Amino acid sequence: MSQKVLLSEKEINIILHRLACQLLENHLDFKDTVLIGIQPRGTFVADRLTKILKEEYGVKEIKLGFLDITFYRDDFRRGDKTLEATKTKIDFLIEDKKVVLVDDVLYTGRSIRSALTAIQSFGRPSEIELLTLIDRRFSRHLPIQPNYRGRQVDAINNEKVKVLWKENDGEDVIYLINK
């Protein structure tokens, strides 16, 4: 098994700032927009973006939530490994709001499909957009594309993208791992 650094800490930081600017360009004051990090790994991206938007671009208030999709996954009862749910934290209304779903890696699109189903439990948004840090574009099983993407990666079958975060893993780095 070999691994190659796809993005360093500096590159991740640059990409997060670009994504924050793109969000700012399309949503200005975030009055009618909410960010929803998809549990577990999308929450790190959503947290970072929220911090950048508030501290560096002066956005006063951003509604940030976290969505667990475990019970909405189509592989929930398949396989030997028991999936463990994480916590959903959405303490605001999303009715008629613009929702930006945030995840770290877009692979097959199945997690996003699950998130689209799960978010309906919280109301009917006026619009839903997708932001992903990494887009594995040749791996899609469903017709799902991001509105905002950090980096497009052409990973083939035996390759895996692994995203590490300081808060959870001790460093910010993204690897391409060849199994």
Side-chain angles (χ1 to χ4, degrees):
M1 181 168 82
S2 65
Q3 66 182 25
K4 164 182 132 178
V5 174
L6 267 181
L7 296 173
S8 66
E9 179 176 2
K10 183 177 181 178
E11 292 167 315
I12 292 170
N13 196 34
I14 290 168
I15 287 171
L16 288 173
H17 277 80
R18 177 175 49 79
L19 290 169
C21 286
Q22 289 174 339
L23 286 171
L24 198 55
E25 186 178 321
N26 291 332
H27 299 281
L28 297 175
D29 60 4
F30 285 81
K31 181 175 59 95
D32 294 318
T33 302
V34 301
L35 296 181
I36 305 287
I38 298 174
Q39 291 276 24
R41 311 288 297 177
T43 59
F44 297 110
V45 182
D47 266 335
R48 292 278 186 92
L49 286 169
T50 300
K51 185 177 179 185
I52 291 168
L53 287 164
K54 284 182 174 180
E55 293 176 5
E56 298 186 33
Y57 296 103
V59 178
K60 292 187 181 5
E61 186 180 334
I62 299 174
K63 289 181 176 67
L64 172 64
F66 305 122
L67 180 66
D68 178 66
I69 60 168
T70 303
F71 299 116
Y72 296 92
R73 293 174 56 110
D74 59 6
D75 62 352
F76 175 61
R77 297 208 187 273
R78 302 177 86 187
D80 299 330
K81 192 172 102 177
T82 305
L83 297 174
E84 288 188 31
T86 49
K87 198 173 200 171
T88 290
K89 180 188 167 277
I90 299 176
D91 53 6
F92 46 82
L93 296 175
I94 66 162
E95 193 73 29
D96 295 324
K97 298 287 186 193
K98 294 176 184 170
V99 171
V100 180
L101 293 174
V102 180
D103 208 359
D104 61 345
V105 178
L106 175 57
Y107 181 35
T108 63
R110 292 181 184 275
S111 293
I112 304 307
R113 190 221 37 93
S114 300
L116 290 168
T117 303
I119 201 73
Q120 291 173 6
S121 302
F122 296 92
R124 185 176 180 190
S126 64
E127 184 179 321
I128 299 177
E129 295 180 333
L130 175 60
L131 180 148
T132 60
L133 187 59
I134 301 292
D135 176 13
R136 291 186 58 170
R137 66 180 174 162
F138 294 132
S139 308
R140 218 74 81 235
H141 294 179
L142 300 169
I144 292 175
Q145 300 299 322
N147 301 85
Y148 311 94
R149 76 171 50 90
R151 171 74 57 92
Q152 206 165 43
V153 176
D154 298 334
I156 55 175
N157 296 337
N158 292 336
E159 294 176 322
K160 179 181 178 186
V161 175
K162 186 172 184 180
V163 181
L164 302 180
W165 295 104
K166 251 184 217 164
E167 301 89 291
N168 196 55
D169 309 297
E171 66 176 334
D172 287 344
V173 64
I174 301 176
Y175 292 108
L176 182 63
I177 300 172
N178 196 344
K179 295 181 182 179

